[in-house]
Amino acid sequence: QSVLSAWDDLSDLVMVRWNKSLEWSPWNCILLTKDEAAAHLNLTSIEEGYERSFIHKIKHKHILAKNYFSQIPVLASFILDDPEIDEIRWKHHSDTTPKIIESQRPPP
């Protein structure tokens, strides 16, 4: 069904690139009605046409797609070299280096 309207008539649905400046991929597409797709492709920027919460929802689904498709060896090479994924990994990276905690006694 359309990610915008939940329309589910298959004859009226198309997959389009989310970011039209990037190649089509499972992590750069959305399912829309033909009319919604035409409007989407006419946007000069994604931020111009959609609310931040919707953009976040789509980006989250694209991350899930990348995680899923990274399990397929032929697609993994495309995902591993993705700067956006690297940025996300860096933001959510847990520092696992050992910490040295020094005991500090109160002054006498």
Side-chain angles (χ1 to χ4, degrees), residues 67-83:
N67 287 338
Y68 175 79
F69 285 101
S70 69
Q71 298 171 35
I72 301 169
V74 112
L75 292 175
S77 63
F78 291 104
I79 296 168
L80 294 176
D81 295 332
D82 186 318

Side-chain angles (χ1 to χ4, degrees), residues 37-102:
H40 173 78
L41 294 173
N42 283 324
L43 294 174
T44 56
S45 74
I46 291 169
E47 292 77 16
E48 168 193 305
Y50 302 109
E51 293 181 6
R52 289 180 63 203
S53 60
F54 181 77
I55 294 169
H56 178 76
K57 173 184 171 181
I58 297 300
K59 286 186 175 189
H60 181 258
K61 289 183 180 283
H62 288 161
I63 290 168
L64 294 175
K66 283 183 180 185
N67 287 338
Y68 175 79
F69 285 101
S70 69
Q71 298 171 35
I72 301 169
V74 112
L75 292 175
S77 63
F78 291 104
I79 296 168
L80 294 176
D81 295 332
D82 186 318
E84 183 179 14
I85 289 297
D86 289 341
E87 181 182 337
I88 291 165
R89 283 187 187 118
W90 178 252
K91 281 183 184 176
H92 301 286
H93 174 73
S94 298
D95 187 6
T96 58
T97 57
K99 303 284 186 262
I100 298 173
I101 301 172
E102 295 181 21

